[in-house]
């Protein structure tokens, strides 16, 4: 990997004194609360039901008294019910279809687009990106915020942007080589696919100009980071964002890779117990909740992301004073309950990445036979393993089975499959099939 100068885009905001930052957050929170109370019927109704008026919110500490927002609210209020600005002030719509087919849409004023662009510029700067860099954006363009967000951020910095979008991996690599791409932006699973394809083509990564990549839109492990960094000889950084908050750039790692710096002057992060909904202190694992405090079009209060992580306020070596969030550990709605045990797909990935010869490519199928849950894991293995003797394959399968049993406390059927037999995904990886009629 190539450690570069640790740049800061907006030193005044990103390195603010914590007390001054909390005061700014409080001021902006109060303004946002009044905005949604006056303009969004759903929030006004919920605050009234809790006996809360805008004047009751005096500081950032009062955020705990505000109502939560969840993704079904955006669907229920589709299309414009959560807009806090008149439609003639909305210059952009972003959104997603979701898994139910019912879309969500988020409205952006010009100021919202500018703020989002600023956050993306900060994130790319954390990766060492500057005016001399060439940024290849391999996220999808359109309603999905990934492509446009990173494109806007790179343009704000003054970098050269290659708007590739996703797909056509061979073409991606041709462009990467011929145009001298220095920064790559895509999902980690697609970044890994690009890296493995470069390896298959016999291309020496040291002949590439790549220095860093920002990878987001899905959970990924430290082992996947190490794999991408080794194959591409780059710094691979975690970036976080979601349409509801303003797209990629809500937080990002710097080159010290000790957690993602949250842009706290624009969003307020909390960690709550997903069951009791009570706030948890820094360092405790729980559900990540965000409140927007500068958004005008669709401001959201205490939005439940369903992502699981921790927050820390320990200052980073880079000089930024903002709270950092750990790598996403899974999602409350991705959690599978199998024979009474909570299982996250990320746990399977971590197990496989710890076993030489296994790859991080797997498919998990859960079913029910009579009263008993069954679990099958298809594991893609290397050529060396798959080409071995039947006895060796059986022993390797037993190693994985025992590792799963000792880690999760569950037995699983392990099916070894040859390299490249499990589908690769240009967007978010889909690894779980639950056939139970629950």
């Amino acid at each position: 990997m190539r450690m570069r100068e640790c740049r800061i885009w907006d030193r005044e905001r990103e390195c603010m004194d914590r007390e001054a930052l909390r005061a700014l957050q409080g001021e902006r929170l109060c303004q946002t609360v009044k905005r949604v109370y006056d303009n969004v019927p759903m929030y006004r109704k919920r605050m009234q039901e809790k006996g809360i008026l805008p004047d009751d919110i005096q500081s950032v500490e009062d955020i705990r008294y505000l109502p939560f927002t969840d993704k079904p609210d955006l669907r229920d209020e589709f299309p414009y019910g959560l807009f806090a600005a008149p439609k003639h002030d909305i210059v952009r719509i972003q959104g997603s279809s979701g898994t139910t087919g019912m879309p969500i849409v988020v409205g952006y004023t010009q100021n919202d687009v500018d703020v989002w662009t600023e956050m993306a510029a900060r994130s790319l700067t954390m990766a060492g990106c500057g005016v001399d860099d060439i940024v290849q954006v391999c996220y999808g363009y359109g309603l999905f915020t990934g492509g446009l967000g990173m494109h806007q951020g790179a343009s704000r910095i003054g970098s050269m942007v290659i708007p590739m979008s996703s797909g056509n991996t061979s073409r991606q690599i041709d462009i990467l080589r011929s145009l001298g791409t220095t920064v790559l932006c895509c999902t980690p699973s697609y970044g890994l696919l690009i890296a493995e394809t470069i390896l298959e083509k016999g291309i020496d990564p040291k002949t590439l100009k790549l220095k860093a990549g920002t990878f987001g839109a899905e959970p990924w492990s430290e082992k996947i980071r190490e794999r991408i960094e080794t194959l591409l000889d780059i710094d691979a950084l975690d970036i976080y964002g979601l349409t509801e908050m303003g797209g990629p750039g809500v937080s990002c790692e710097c080159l010290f890779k000790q957690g993602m710096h949250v842009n706290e002057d624009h969003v307020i992060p909390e960690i709550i117990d997903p069951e009791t909904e009570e706030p948890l202190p820094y360092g405790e694992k729980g559900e990540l909740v965000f409140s927007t405090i500068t958004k005008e079009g669709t401001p959201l209060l205490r939005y439940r992301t369903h992502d699981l992580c921790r927050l820390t306020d320990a200052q980073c070596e880079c000089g930024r004073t903002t709270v950092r969030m750990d790598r996403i550990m899974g999602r409350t709605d991705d959690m599978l309950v199998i024979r009474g045990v909570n299982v996250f797909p990320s746990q399977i990935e971590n197990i496989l990445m710890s076993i030489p010869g296994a790859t991080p490519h797997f498919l998990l199928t859960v079913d029910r036979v009579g009263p008993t849950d069954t679990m099958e894991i298809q594991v893609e293995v290397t050529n060396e393993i798959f080409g071995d003797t039947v006895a060796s394959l059986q022993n390797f399968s037993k190693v994985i089975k025992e590792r799963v049993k000792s880690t999760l406390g569950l037995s699983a059927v392990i099916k070894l499959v040859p390299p490249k037999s499990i589908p690769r995904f240009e967007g978010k990886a889909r690894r779980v099939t639950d056939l139970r009629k629950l």
Side-chain angles (χ1 to χ4, degrees), residues 3-16 122-123 125-128 237 252-263 313-324:
M3 179 72 172
R4 296 201 277 171
E5 175 189 355
C6 197
R7 299 170 175 171
I8 298 177
W9 175 253
D10 185 348
R11 187 171 295 275
E12 179 182 357
R13 290 300 192 200
E14 296 178 73
C15 303
M16 284 184 74
R122 291 180 187 180
S123 298
T125 303
M126 290 183 203
L237 306 177
C252 187
E253 286 183 314
C254 68
L255 290 170
F256 286 98
K257 304 171 190 172
Q258 297 296 315
M260 292 174 276
H261 293 272
V262 180
N263 284 304
D313 62 346
Q315 189 167 340
C316 183
E317 293 177 74
C318 72
R320 293 175 179 85
T321 56
T322 46
V323 159
R324 284 170 288 147

Side-chain angles (χ1 to χ4, degrees), residues 40 213 218 227 283 331 351:
V40 183
E218 64 186 15
R227 178 74 171 159
R331 289 180 53 83
I351 291 169

Side-chain angles (χ1 to χ4, degrees), residues 143-216:
L143 282 177
F144 174 61
T145 56
L148 285 167
M150 302 316 293
H151 188 130
Q152 292 164 187
S155 295
R156 175 67 61 87
I157 290 171
S159 304
M160 183 189 299
V161 185
I162 308 174
M164 287 296 293
S165 193
S166 58
N168 199 340
T169 304
S170 290
R171 178 67 171 159
Q172 297 274 7
I173 294 170
D174 289 343
I175 292 294
L176 188 151
R177 297 179 72 191
S178 59
L179 297 187
T181 299
T182 60
V183 178
L184 186 65
C185 302
C186 60
T187 63
S189 54
Y190 193 47
L192 184 57
L193 175 59
I194 289 174
E196 291 177 339
T197 305
I198 286 173
L199 179 66
E200 289 173 1
K201 288 177 176 288
I203 300 170
D204 182 353
K206 294 187 184 301
T207 66
L208 304 176
K209 301 293 186 182
L210 271 181
K211 300 174 182 176
T214 59
F215 302 96

Side-chain angles (χ1 to χ4, degrees), residues 53-68:
L53 295 172
D55 288 344
D56 295 328
I57 306 301
Q58 297 292 318
S59 70
V60 70
E61 282 73 24
D62 294 331
I63 197 169
R64 63 185 300 153
Y65 303 117
L66 293 169
F68 288 102

